[in-house]
Amino acid sequence: MKLRVKPFTLFLYGIVLVLIVIGAKIISNGVNLPDPLEPLTVKKPEWTGLITLWDVNYVDCGTGSNAGWLNRQIQRFERNNPGVFIDVRRITPERMKMYFEGNMRDEFLPDIIALPVYEEIVPQDLLLDLKPYIKQNELDRLHHIAKKRITRNGKIIGIPWMIAPYALIFNNRLVEEANIIIPEEELDFSFLDSAVRNLTFSKMEGKSQQQYFGFCTYSNFHSRPLLSIIHGNEDTIIDRKAYNLILKWYQESGALPQGMADYTFNEAWELFARQGRVGILLGNVRAIYQMRSLQQMGKGFDITVKGIPADDKKGLFSDQVGAYGIIKTGNREKLGLCVSFLKMLIEDDAQKELKLIGAFPAVSTIEAIYQDDPQMSVLESSLQNYIFSPDDRHWKENGERAYAEVKQILGRASGTEE
């Protein structure tokens, strides 16, 4: 009896044989199956290695250090760029100046560097012009004084990342004793003059006469809070009304401590917070947070925070804008990563996290981040009043000379002129 095999059956036999052969090859040689997690992984950049960043505390934030915020942004960047690491070296402004005055060799230069506020410590020919890398809409998002901070001779020399305006900080204990009522609205010079004079007095404490001062501030080569009050409009540079007011406090009422023109922050803070002998401190947001720390330890006193009086000025002055620049390099891939990192610092998420260190966004399109903090909210709303910075052309031409004259006169008035 003959067995007949139908054509379709033979076809199936052939398919099975082919599958057996292919399966054997797969088993013997292996096969690269697609990784189901591949869409979730981040590809390595073309360049990997170490990016160095020199961080200098030219601008004080509330916590005194930007380390927590910066480290958080670095971790985010390193996650998005496997194999790329950012090494931060934190140095003092004085040491930074020393490095560049000593003709430091190129191989020791960092890739990213904090930009000084006043002095041209970092030679401009070393800094990369970021104009080709930044879109106009990215520049338009920046606060105007932040934009001025990084604009130099038609070039964009860095990325601004935070603002920390100055404030008038009242000692509420002395304010209440003097029966002073601080207005809810913005202050004017008339109220400030009256308050300073009423907060200036002396009294016997034990066997000695103790002097109390109505006003105090400080100054150094990267932070000059006094300028936020006496700075005028473009056509005046120095506001004579404010300047004459401060001079009268020196000469007529004894409202200012001897040598105040050369006080450091710590000296002014000691007199205001620890000794409690100053009615109004003109300082940065660091003073607000340090007072909160004292209060948590059961020390210190209540304070009221107010913005700087504008009066008839077109806008206010601030030198407290933090910014980073990039040192030129021939490594285009590494350069691109440095640019990407700095641009990441002005993304919305990073800017909102500035609240963690007591600083304010350099981006004007960010909604209020201090709505639950009345003291900081006052300063946040005052940011719209700031339009002048040390990088304004008129200030560059005349401001440094004018400020030197002011310090000289104030020093003479207080008997501390050298």
Side-chain angles (χ1 to χ4, degrees), residues 48 105-106 164 271 282-283 310 321 353:
T48 57
R105 296 200 303 271
D106 289 352
L271 200 60
L282 171 61
V321 181
E353 288 179 351

Side-chain angles (χ1 to χ4, degrees), residues 194-211:
S194 174
V196 168
R197 291 175 184 275
N198 287 325
L199 290 167
T200 301
F201 60 93
S202 62
K203 66 177 182 179
M204 290 295 297
E205 293 183 358
K207 296 182 178 180
S208 61
Q209 190 84 1
Q210 193 69 270
Q211 178 66 32

Side-chain angles (χ1 to χ4, degrees), residues 73-331:
Q73 311 319 314
I74 289 173
Q75 290 167 6
R76 183 179 301 165
F77 181 80
E78 291 177 346
R79 283 197 304 269
N80 294 336
N81 297 274
V84 178
F85 303 94
I86 297 181
D87 181 45
V88 179
R89 181 180 182 188
R90 293 184 169 86
I91 57 179
T92 64
E94 294 79 10
R95 185 174 289 272
M96 168 78 86
K97 187 176 181 180
M98 180 193 69
Y99 281 138
F100 282 96
E101 287 179 344
N103 297 318
M104 184 173 51
R105 296 200 303 271
D106 289 352
E107 60 264 30
F108 294 131
L109 289 172
D111 301 301
I112 300 173
I113 193 166
L115 298 179
V117 176
Y118 287 100
E119 296 182 291
E120 298 283 352
I121 295 175
V122 184
Q124 282 199 41
D125 59 352
L126 290 179
L127 291 171
L128 178 72
D129 180 9
L130 296 175
K131 207 165 189 177
Y133 303 90
I134 303 177
K135 298 177 182 178
Q136 187 60 45
N137 66 321
E138 292 174 321
L139 282 175
D140 291 341
R141 294 178 65 235
L142 297 175
H143 192 290
H144 22 268
I145 63 168
K147 194 185 302 184
K148 287 179 180 179
R149 174 79 165 87
I150 45 89
T151 304
R152 198 74 52 82
N153 300 324
K155 298 180 179 180
I156 303 298
I157 61 168
I159 295 291
W161 60 273
M162 65 91 93
I163 298 175
Y166 295 115
L168 292 168
I169 305 169
F170 290 75
N171 179 334
N172 284 359
R173 182 185 300 162
L174 298 181
V175 166
E176 290 171 5
E177 290 177 2
N179 294 316
I180 296 172
I181 299 176
I182 302 172
E184 293 290 333
E185 62 272 14
E186 290 184 1
L187 303 184
D188 57 30
F189 284 122
S190 176
F191 168 81
L192 187 60
D193 181 33
S194 174
V196 168
R197 291 175 184 275
N198 287 325
L199 290 167
T200 301
F201 60 93
S202 62
K203 66 177 182 179
M204 290 295 297
E205 293 183 358
K207 296 182 178 180
S208 61
Q209 190 84 1
Q210 193 69 270
Q211 178 66 32
Y212 284 74
F213 304 99
F215 182 91
C216 187
T217 189
Y218 54 91
S219 176
N220 58 47
F221 66 85
H222 58 272
S223 178
R224 300 171 180 175
L226 195 59
L227 282 176
S228 64
I229 286 185
I230 65 175
H231 185 277
N233 295 321
E234 288 188 19
D235 54 342
T236 58
I237 305 297
I238 295 299
D239 184 332
R240 286 295 163 183
K241 179 180 177 182
Y243 167 70
N244 289 333
L245 188 64
I246 291 173
L247 193 59
K248 287 179 181 178
W249 292 345
Y250 259 123
Q251 296 174 329
E252 296 178 7
S253 66
L256 310 179
Q258 294 284 313
M260 187 199 76
D262 296 310
Y263 267 21
T264 65
F265 173 87
N266 288 336
E267 288 173 322
W269 178 251
E270 171 70 22
L271 200 60
F272 173 74
R274 302 195 183 280
Q275 298 183 28
R277 293 171 51 212
V278 171
I280 304 172
L281 174 70
L282 171 61
N284 55 34
V285 290
R286 177 182 168 196
I288 300 172
Y289 280 68
Q290 287 195 180
M291 181 55 74
R292 291 176 180 178
S293 295
L294 285 178
Q295 290 168 347
Q296 289 174 357
M297 295 185 291
K299 303 176 182 179
F301 44 80
D302 289 336
I303 58 174
T304 295
V305 177
K306 300 294 287 187
I308 306 299
D311 272 19
D312 56 353
K313 294 179 184 178
K314 297 175 184 176
L316 296 176
F317 173 95
S318 178
D319 56 17
Q320 295 295 278
V321 181
Y324 294 117
I326 298 175
I327 301 295
K328 292 177 182 176
T329 176
N331 189 328

